[in-house]
Amino acid sequence: MRYIRPLSIEDAVGELARAVGPAAILAGGSDLLVRMKGGFIEPELIVDIKAINGLSDIQETADGFRIGAAVPCAVLGENKALRKAWPGVVEAAKLIGSKQVQGRCTIVGNLCNASPAADSVPALVAVGAKAVIAGPSGKRTIAVESVPTGPGRTSLAKGEIVEAILLDKRAPNSGDAYQRFIPRTEMDIAVVSAGMNLTLDEHGVIKAARVALGAAAPTVLLVAEAAQVLVGSKLDEATLERLAKVCSGACRPIDDKRGTIEFRRKVAGVLAKRVAATAYERAGGK
């Protein structure tokens, strides 16, 4: 096994592209090291990206935020500007693992691990986050939801790295939220989760919405029909009931030891109503 700590994204990409055997990227290591210890993977090359300039930084620009691939989730929670602009994204990131894990884990690692139950991904999808990908052919920017293609699989080609996550500047009268259901009070995997972002007009009417469900299909579901239900409403009870019905119907879950298909569909509707209420309030709705 070979371990390298490159100082530039170009060197990291080059090493990954030239790797003959299995290669892995090390940022927080909260997924990678556990999988290695369990014998699930045995990479021949480990590329530690923490020394690459900019990858451990959160940058606020006129367009929004750029979150480097090696930024720990604990650091997201300490950034007041990010917390104020996108509280739902920060809430989701702070649910990954224990407080000790928070000091190491990253939202990019959570994304690239490609678990259907990942906490940060539905929240990122709901706010329209984008991923900056560096590779042998240069850089490209894609929607976050285009990165995972199935459980444990991504759309990244050989040699490609997610360099950063981009969050747009929050629109006026907007609010986001994220919630999940777990069997225990903390440190568990989501049975179902929901992320939402709402934008209101000056009268409190929803004019734009994005609704994302996690652990409800092989990848995060962006439910366009749910957004259509919300647009044009002031989030009255009838609208919430229609929202719950649409979200429950959109689910394509599995039966497993954490929940049945029927249970997951029911909970998806309940969570959608709850996050809608929170996002609406954060957007200034009454």
Side-chain angles (χ1 to χ4, degrees), residues 184-236:
R184 302 185 296 179
T185 56
E186 60 182 342
M187 288 179 63
D188 211 335
I189 300 171
V191 176
V192 184
S193 62
M196 195 170 300
N197 185 40
L198 303 177
T199 302
L200 315 183
D201 66 14
E202 62 274 19
H203 304 295
V205 176
I206 298 170
K207 64 178 183 179
R210 282 174 69 93
V211 181
L213 300 176
T219 59
V220 170
L221 294 173
L222 182 61
V223 190
E225 188 180 351
Q228 293 169 5
V229 167
L230 293 168
V231 172
S233 79
K234 285 191 173 183
L235 210 65
D236 54 90

Side-chain angles (χ1 to χ4, degrees), residues 136-169:
S137 301
K139 295 186 181 182
R140 58 192 178 101
T141 302
I142 63 174
V144 159
E145 57 266 33
S146 298
V147 175
T149 58
R153 302 193 305 274
T154 72
S155 60
L156 300 179
K158 182 177 174 62
E160 288 190 324
I161 299 175
V162 176
E163 180 181 332
I165 297 294
L166 303 181
L167 299 175
D168 289 339
K169 184 177 180 180

Side-chain angles (χ1 to χ4, degrees), residues 8-10 12-13 16 24-28 47-50 52-57 66-71 106-114 120-121 124 129-136 138-149 153-167:
S8 71
I9 195 73
E10 291 78 15
V13 165
L16 288 167
I25 297 169
L26 173 63
V47 179
D48 186 340
I49 63 172
K50 292 190 290 296
I52 298 175
N53 185 42
L55 265 61
S56 296
D57 301 330
R66 180 186 178 92
I67 303 170
V71 175
T106 68
I107 56 173
V108 170
N110 198 224
L111 172 66
C112 293
N113 192 43
S120 67
V121 183
L124 291 170
K130 297 179 177 62
V132 179
I133 299 171
K139 295 186 181 182
R140 58 192 178 101
T141 302
I142 63 174
V144 159
E145 57 266 33
S146 298
V147 175
T149 58
R153 302 193 305 274
T154 72
S155 60
L156 300 179
K158 182 177 174 62
E160 288 190 324
I161 299 175
V162 176
E163 180 181 332
I165 297 294
L166 303 181
L167 299 175

